[in-house]
Amino acid sequence: MKFFAYLLTMCALVGAPTLTAAEDDAPKSSAETRAEKKEAAEWYKKKIARQKKAIAALKKVRDEKSAKKAAATIMKYYGKLVGGNSTAMGTSGPAEVPEGEAMDAAAEKYEKQLEKLQEQLNAEIERIGELNISCSELDEAIDAVNKY
């Protein structure tokens, strides 16, 4: 009897990785696909809104004082992504950009808007560079805008 129980346990341990691998290869249901598409669209809509706010803040930069103020404004929108979320259990790490087919499809959909915003952002960064303003907070904020 002990041998039979041992044999069943070993079969379960050997067969378990095979079962999980088969579940990962299974096609996604339509509900999962819709949820992924919705998440991707929300991510890009939020990204576009954050970039518009960041560009508006960068347009106000004239000197170091306004640069620090703009950096604070930008980090208000990007702080949770860069520093992670603050929870009751502590602070989590930086946010990860979702990946997958739905994100690729959404990227194609919002490509023109993102390119236009990136051009505006680059123009503002170049303008600020010509002002010779050295503000580490603003540099961190600009890195956050470019990453997220």
Side-chain angles (χ1 to χ4, degrees), residues 65-92:
K65 183 178 178 183
S66 61
K68 288 183 181 183
K69 188 174 182 180
T73 302
I74 292 170
M75 290 310 286
K76 182 170 68 172
Y77 301 112
Y78 286 89
K80 289 183 180 177
L81 296 173
V82 174
N85 292 327
S86 180
T87 63
M89 298 297 290
T91 304
S92 64

Side-chain angles (χ1 to χ4, degrees), residues 112-147:
K112 289 183 181 180
Q113 287 179 329
L114 291 171
E115 285 177 1
K116 183 179 175 183
L117 290 172
Q118 190 64 41
E119 288 173 6
Q120 292 175 352
L121 183 66
N122 290 339
E124 290 302 318
I125 292 170
E126 186 177 321
R127 182 188 65 80
I128 292 169
E130 291 172 359
L131 295 174
N132 293 327
I133 297 173
S134 62
C135 179
S136 61
E137 295 93 355
L138 185 63
D139 294 337
E140 289 177 21
I142 289 173
D143 289 340
V145 172
N146 285 329
K147 185 174 180 180

